[in-house]
Amino acid sequence: MRVSYKWLQEFVEIDITPQELADRLTLAGVTVEGVTELGVGISNVITGRIESISPHPNADKLVVTSVDTGGEKRQIITAATNVREGDVIPVAVEGARLASGLVIKKAKLRGVESRGMMCSGQELGIDPKTMVAEQANGIMILPPGTPLGQDAKEILGLDDHILELDLTPNRGDCLSMIGVAREVAALLGRPLRLPQSSFKELPESIEGQARVDIEDTDLCRRFCARLVKNVKVGPSPLWMQQRLRNAGIRPISNIVDVTNYVMLELGQPMHAFDYNLLKDGHIIVRRGRAGEKMLSLDGNERVLTPDMLAITDPSGPVGIAGVMGGLATEVTAKTVSVLLESAFFNPISIRKTSKALGLRSEASQRFEKGIDIGGSARAANRAAQLITEMEAGDVVSGIIDVCPEPLQEKIISLRPGRATYILGVEVPKEEAAGILTGLQFKVRESGADLLVTVPTHRVDVNLEIDLIEEIARMHGYDRVPGTLPYGQSIQGKQTREQSLTAGIRNSLAGDGLYEVMTYSFTHPRVLDQMNLPADSPFREMVKLQNPLSEEHSVMRTMMLPGLLETLARNFSRRVQNGAVFEIGRVFYPREEGSLPEERQVLSAAAMGRTMAGWNAPARELDFYHLKGVLENLFDYLRTEPVNFQPELENPSFHPGRSAWLEAGGTRLGVVGELHPDVLEQFGLPDRVVAFELDLEQLLKVSGRPFVYTTLPRFPAVERDIAVLIKQGTPAAQVVEAIRRAGGELLRSVFLFDVYRGGQVPQGYQSMAFSLRFYAEDRTLTDTEVAERTAAIANSLAQGFGAELRA
């Protein structure tokens, strides 16, 4: 909202500077984002009238003009094509300075002297968007009766300051000059001067000439209309144009400008219909019908729906309520009668309609925040008065005022003691009553309390706490004493789950994976791409009622598809290597009427090779790389022992190159190389590895306490053992058998070699282990170590048919 400082002074006496006023308003909760001084830097620009125009003797595109600047004739050369003899224009005389900083000097153009320059609106700092089309890029033409030799800044309203308000959504009442004036009057303790609407009416009555019916009273609670005849459409007065421009609105014509002016002044959006183009002069306010179409004022065809409120006549729509009028009843130069609309529409309905049509206007902005339902008739009368004063038409006697339900007063009981308790500072009862009265509330005493009648323009005040807020901001937030907080304090810290999750991110990032965030929404076809059967539980997906697009119509039940799409997008752009992970939620439907079940999942995917370093070659991002990443993660999280078991049934993963993970009797998830069909579906390279773990289950088996032991005082004994064992025997099972057979003296087991070759029988493999023995109370003898090594060999022979290699 752009508020004119000079216009504001018509409604309340202000004896402080614009910046001081901005500070006072901001402290009172009406935030002023900035103060702009119009016409700053402009000097020696006056009004003048073009007396004559003649061709330039030495240039085809220039003309020589004689300009009367109020008793002095000046010769000015211009290339402008929109000026005519008799036009009144702003003239920058010698020594003038324009908004751009340009200084005008006497000069010769092609040998002919020029004593000044005709000015466009842009050269005076006026936004061309707020000017009529023919003047936006040419010389500014002033009304014929404009006095000559006057300071153009005053004539054009450029000797003003504009306060830019940044209003919260609940303060729609301040989207008007009167609304801001109420705040200023209350802050300064000055009386508020409201504009009075008195004008002469025609003897004939509006009854029988116009009619309004409201079919959907839930969306339109009041509709007022006035009829104006003998309309003469033309430019509006200069003072009205300058106020509209200063507010950022382009003047159009006197009738349309009056509706915009009243909107700025009173906060009530209005619309003018060409009365003769309304069938039977009959307005019907109803919901749109499916497929119903209308040409709006911007020339676009709009398709209405039953959720939209339409202004219609018996032949069809003539406007979209609160958003934009229709082209069919537009006020034009041929208009001789107009019907003025001033109504109250449901804010939620206007917001939905505006969003659905992609139309955001000054009117819709006010309707969305809530306007004064009690001011509809006042606005219609004010518009009629202005039209009469401009001699732009004659107002027919009477007003149509359709209000299906009588307006109810909101009366709230205010306890001064409660206000003192909430604010932490005592505000006497008399002061509280005075503050509310200054804000146009009606206040009367009721014992120790106050009964407050809320004015209709304050749609945001509904409870006692709202009144306390009004008292606080007018009393002054800066006058509320600062106090230290008291009571029991609680140390802020992360929960166990938050701490472990942060550790997971650190661990994976340390191993070279990049964290990404993908959409929680997806398309059902990704499950086909993941090779899942028709009866897979992952196909039970939560469907969205209002999806952003068809590509995001359901909630994901797996996170891997999103990561694979990320890798595929990069791979299609020649990024060959990449490893990503994500921590997020998947969603499973519950019974109808219940929110879906949400589970946290940890997922990762990798393709290509690692980056080579000065001390290490590039390595393939294969199953074993990702398995090592997980083992590092499990060590970091201090999980219970995790077992990797062959995964043969998951259709998304390559059989024989994937494993499922188990810890503490709980299945955690799957890791492995993706199935070739999945890679083909996503457009990925020949080898991509991935894992997806149930994060909640992983956290349950994580966080084992640290166990500290003393350093051994006696030396350890190391032995290597190599055995021939059938191929396909899981190394984890062999290691577990060695640990059991080695007893408490065996401190560590490490598989350091697996060999298949000519010296090993077909179907077998050689597995070599490094064993480390020590005791805490003595040095082990060779005999003790030999006995344990023999026990290990015997256990492997019995359990796996293994043979010691020579």
Side-chain angles (χ1 to χ4, degrees):
M1 175 68 184
R2 292 168 57 89
V3 176
S4 164
Y5 180 73
K6 287 187 68 175
W7 191 0
L8 203 58
Q9 288 177 314
E10 287 191 5
F11 308 116
V12 60
E13 182 183 348
I14 304 174
D15 57 359
I16 57 178
T17 66
Q19 188 58 58
E20 290 173 334
L21 178 61
D23 294 339
R24 294 283 295 274
L25 284 170
T26 300
L27 283 174
V30 181
T31 305
V32 179
E33 198 170 50
V35 179
T36 302
E37 182 181 356
L38 300 180
V40 63
I42 299 175
S43 62
N44 289 337
V45 180
I46 59 177
T47 56
R49 183 174 57 241
I50 301 175
E51 298 294 327
S52 65
I53 302 177
S54 59
H56 192 289
N58 303 317
D60 294 336
K61 294 186 178 181
L62 299 178
V63 293
V64 180
T65 67
S66 176
V67 180
D68 182 359
T69 56
E72 183 178 0
K73 299 292 181 66
R74 298 172 184 270
Q75 181 174 283
I76 298 177
I77 297 176
T78 181
T81 58
N82 70 318
V83 292
R84 302 290 182 268
E85 291 182 357
D87 286 346
V88 180
I89 56 171
V91 178
V93 298
E94 300 99 315
R97 185 180 294 272
L98 302 181
S100 63
L102 176 67
V103 177
I104 303 301
K105 299 177 182 179
K106 185 187 298 185
K108 284 189 176 183
L109 299 178
R110 294 290 184 94
V112 179
E113 184 179 69
S114 180
R115 296 181 54 209
M117 186 180 80
M118 301 178 188
C119 296
S120 68
Q122 294 185 63
E123 289 163 336
L124 298 177
I126 300 175
D127 186 349
K129 295 179 182 177
T130 65
M131 301 181 65
V132 293
E134 60 270 19
Q135 297 186 31
N137 298 307
I139 301 302
M140 191 170 193
I141 310 299
L142 305 178
T146 305
L148 306 181
Q150 301 295 309
D151 187 347
K153 287 174 61 174
E154 295 182 10
I155 296 294
L156 295 172
L158 297 177
D159 56 339
D160 197 0
H161 291 76
I162 300 298
L163 280 65
E164 296 272 1
L165 303 189
D166 183 18
L167 299 173
T168 52
N170 65 315
R171 292 309 304 273
D173 61 299
C174 286
L175 286 172
S176 67
M177 296 299 302
I178 292 298
V180 177
R182 288 192 193 100
E183 297 288 313
V184 175
L187 284 170
L188 302 182
R190 304 288 167 76
L192 179 66
R193 300 188 292 263
L194 295 176
Q196 301 300 316
S197 299
S198 59
F199 51 92
K200 185 178 179 180
E201 297 178 321
L202 293 174
E204 59 181 291
S205 173
I206 195 173
E207 292 185 13
Q209 299 192 65
R211 175 183 170 189
V212 174
D213 291 324
I214 302 177
E215 293 186 1
D216 292 285
T217 57
D218 57 326
L219 301 184
C220 178
R221 293 175 53 197
R222 190 178 187 184
F223 197 106
C224 299
R226 292 216 67 141
L227 179 59
V228 183
K229 291 189 173 181
N230 305 320
V231 168
K232 296 178 282 295
V233 177
S236 56
L238 184 58
W239 63 267
M240 181 176 286
Q241 292 187 35
Q242 71 186 31
R243 287 183 174 179
L244 292 176
R245 279 197 297 264
N246 289 347
I249 295 177
R250 178 171 62 90
I252 298 173
S253 67
N254 47 10
I255 301 300
V256 177
D257 290 354
V258 161
T259 61
N260 286 329
Y261 184 89
V262 172
M263 177 183 68
L264 294 175
E265 184 180 71
L266 301 179
Q268 169 70 58
M270 297 187 64
H271 184 68
F273 298 96
D274 188 320
Y275 172 75
N276 293 331
L277 298 177
L278 281 172
K279 187 176 181 180
D280 303 328
H282 187 189
I283 291 287
I284 305 169
V285 187
R286 60 168 173 81
R287 281 180 164 86
R289 294 173 182 144
E292 204 167 27
K293 298 178 180 179
M294 185 200 78
L295 280 177
S296 55
L297 284 173
D298 58 5
N300 292 321
E301 185 178 71
R302 307 292 178 178
V303 180
L304 306 183
T305 68
D307 295 327
M308 301 175 182
L309 187 64
I311 309 298
T312 72
D313 65 8
S315 64
V318 295
I320 305 169
V323 180
M324 186 171 285
L327 196 63
T329 56
E330 179 187 17
V331 173
T332 66
K334 299 178 181 179
T335 300
V336 294
S337 298
V338 297
L339 189 69
L340 298 173
E341 166 206 303
S342 177
F344 179 93
F345 301 122
N346 181 281
I348 297 175
S349 170
I350 300 302
R351 170 64 176 161
K352 289 181 177 178
T353 301
S354 175
K355 187 175 182 181
L357 295 177
L359 278 175
R360 183 76 183 221
S361 62
E362 291 281 349
S364 67
Q365 179 186 8
R366 285 164 173 80
F367 278 122
E368 289 170 15
K369 295 182 185 299
I371 64 169
D372 179 8
I373 191 173
S376 299
R378 180 172 67 248
N381 290 331
R382 176 63 170 157
Q385 176 199 7
L386 290 169
I387 291 174
T388 303
E389 288 180 354
M390 291 189 297
E391 299 181 352
D394 300 318
V395 182
V396 172
S397 176
I399 182 172
I400 294 176
D401 189 352
V402 181
C403 191
E405 297 181 5
L407 303 181
Q408 300 289 333
E409 286 188 335
K410 284 189 293 186
I411 300 177
I412 303 173
S413 176
L414 173 64
R415 298 164 291 173
R418 178 65 176 171
T420 298
Y421 174 78
I422 292 292
L423 301 179
V425 61
E426 184 175 359
V427 179
K429 180 180 178 181
E430 296 74 17
E431 182 182 349
I435 288 173
L436 294 174
T437 301
L439 290 169
Q440 309 300 305
F441 292 78
K442 294 179 182 178
V443 183
R444 68 178 188 271
E445 292 192 10
S446 176
D449 299 340
L450 298 174
L451 289 180
V452 181
T453 302
V454 181
T456 53
H457 63 265
R458 290 304 302 270
V459 295
D460 59 314
V461 177
N462 298 288
L463 304 170
E464 181 187 36
I465 194 65
D466 298 328
L467 295 175
I468 294 173
E469 180 185 357
E470 295 299 298
I471 293 170
R473 66 188 188 85
M474 286 298 168
H475 177 76
Y477 292 124
D478 55 327
R479 295 172 60 189
V480 176
T483 57
L484 292 173
Y486 60 90
Q488 183 178 5
S489 61
I490 301 175
Q491 180 185 2
K493 61 180 181 179
Q494 290 183 326
T495 63
R496 173 183 177 275
E497 290 74 16
Q498 289 173 332
S499 178
L500 290 175
T501 302
I504 291 172
R505 288 188 167 94
N506 290 336
S507 177
L508 296 180
D511 281 334
L513 279 72
Y514 290 90
E515 184 174 10
V516 298
M517 294 180 67
T518 61
Y519 284 114
S520 298
F521 311 136
T522 187
H523 192 282
R525 69 164 174 270
V526 299
L527 301 182
D528 296 329
Q529 293 175 278
M530 292 299 294
N531 226 15
L532 295 181
D535 59 349
S536 171
F538 291 109
R539 290 189 178 272
E540 296 295 323
M541 309 181 88
V542 179
K543 297 180 180 179
L544 300 178
Q545 290 184 351
N546 56 340
L548 298 174
S549 68
E550 185 181 356
E551 295 298 310
H552 303 92
S553 59
V554 294
M555 304 293 286
R556 66 186 177 190
T557 54
M558 302 176 68
M559 287 217 325
L560 261 182
L563 297 184
L564 298 182
E565 288 175 350
T566 300
L567 290 183
R569 192 175 303 113
N570 282 272
F571 184 70
S572 67
R573 289 162 175 78
R574 300 180 182 275
V575 179
Q576 306 291 326
N577 308 314
V580 295
F581 77 94
E582 181 177 6
I583 296 175
R585 294 181 182 276
V586 293
F587 305 85
Y588 302 104
R590 288 176 171 155
E591 61 273 11
E592 188 173 350
S594 299
L595 292 174
E597 177 189 1
E598 300 182 26
R599 297 195 65 84
Q600 277 199 310
V601 169
L602 167 63
S603 189
M607 65 180 180
R609 302 169 65 84
T610 63
M611 184 179 295
W614 66 271
N615 60 346
R619 297 192 307 276
E620 192 80 19
L621 291 172
D622 56 9
F623 170 83
Y624 295 104
H625 180 88
L626 215 54
K627 180 174 180 287
V629 168
L630 284 175
E631 288 174 337
N632 286 344
L633 174 63
F634 298 150
D635 288 342
Y636 184 91
L637 294 176
R638 306 190 309 280
T639 63
E640 296 181 18
V642 178
N643 297 317
F644 291 77
Q645 302 294 336
E647 174 59 80
L648 303 175
E649 299 179 357
N650 193 317
S652 300
F653 286 83
H654 193 301
R657 298 183 185 178
S658 56
W660 59 269
L661 286 69
E662 177 272 333
T666 301
R667 185 160 180 157
L668 302 180
V670 62
V671 59
E673 189 174 313
L674 291 173
H675 197 284
D677 291 345
V678 174
L679 301 180
E680 183 180 356
Q681 290 281 353
F682 281 94
L684 287 165
D686 294 339
R687 173 171 292 180
V688 175
V689 290
F691 67 75
E692 185 154 308
L693 306 181
D694 186 324
L695 185 60
E696 296 176 14
Q697 296 298 330
L698 176 61
L699 296 181
K700 286 181 181 179
V701 297
S702 299
R704 289 189 301 168
F706 287 104
V707 177
Y708 296 93
T709 58
T710 58
L711 293 172
R713 292 186 299 161
F714 300 94
V717 179
E718 295 184 356
R719 293 287 188 272
D720 293 342
I721 182 174
V723 294
L724 289 175
I725 200 166
K726 289 183 179 179
Q727 291 186 16
T729 304
Q733 295 181 10
V734 179
V735 170
E736 182 60 27
I738 292 174
R739 288 187 183 279
R740 287 196 302 269
E744 61 181 10
L745 295 181
L746 178 62
R747 301 295 179 166
S748 67
V749 181
F750 177 69
L751 174 65
F752 67 88
D753 182 61
V754 176
Y755 173 74
R756 301 184 186 94
Q759 300 176 359
V760 176
Q762 186 72 22
Y764 283 80
Q765 62 186 0
S766 170
M767 303 180 71
F769 299 89
S770 176
L771 312 179
R772 192 165 185 264
F773 300 90
Y774 72 81
E776 295 180 356
D777 57 348
R778 67 188 187 279
T779 298
L780 295 178
T781 64
D782 288 341
T783 302
E784 290 177 300
V785 173
E787 289 175 353
R788 294 302 173 100
T789 303
I792 290 171
N794 185 51
S795 174
L796 296 179
Q798 294 180 359
F800 304 99
E803 299 179 8
L804 281 176
R805 292 188 67 191

